[in-house]
Amino acid sequence: MSLPGDVVTWAAGGHQTLRRMLSDQRFNRDWRQWRAFQDGEIPEDHPLIGMCKVDNMVTAHGADHRRLRGLLSRSFAPARIALLAPRIEQCADRPWPRWRSAAAVPI
């Protein structure tokens, strides 16, 4: 897909695709390693720079990602998610009534 400024990026459309992407070493989550940043294709004033240029578990790669994931793993244990399920479902159901009737959904 293409972001503002014709920046080409990847978007996973399903769980299996996401799993394959995240386990493939060609996909590096660390924004410092992204070719578009290294080559200057994404300027510092890009409208989405604040969403990309962050340091957290999602953007960490390799050993750093595994370390951060280990710190949070108990919070995402099946029993904990089961306790949160009603609220997660409540939040997830909010936009669907509008989208069900739409011919196309802007993303």
Side-chain angles (χ1 to χ4, degrees):
M1 71 187 240
S2 183
L3 298 176
D6 293 323
V7 175
V8 176
T9 187
W10 289 83
H15 182 74
Q16 290 300 331
T17 303
L18 179 61
R19 286 186 64 117
R20 284 197 322 262
M21 284 176 64
L22 293 177
S23 65
D24 189 322
Q25 291 302 309
R26 294 175 295 175
F27 293 93
N28 191 319
R29 292 178 289 244
D30 185 343
W31 58 270
R32 291 172 200 83
Q33 304 300 318
W34 296 348
R35 184 199 49 76
F37 277 124
Q38 293 174 345
D39 293 351
E41 293 175 22
I42 302 175
E44 289 295 324
D45 63 348
H46 190 277
L48 299 176
I49 199 78
M51 293 173 54
C52 298
K53 218 172 169 182
V54 294
D55 294 316
N56 58 37
M57 187 181 78
V58 175
T59 61
H61 190 72
D64 195 33
H65 175 77
R66 286 187 294 279
R67 179 185 64 79
L68 293 168
R69 184 176 170 190
L71 294 172
L72 294 173
S73 63
R74 286 186 16 203
S75 297
F76 293 97
R80 177 73 175 134
I81 297 301
L83 289 172
L84 295 172
R87 178 67 179 142
I88 293 168
E89 291 169 6
Q90 180 185 34
C91 292
D93 285 342
R94 284 186 186 160
W96 293 117
R98 288 180 288 151
W99 290 0
R100 271 190 222 130
S101 62
V105 178
I107 297 178

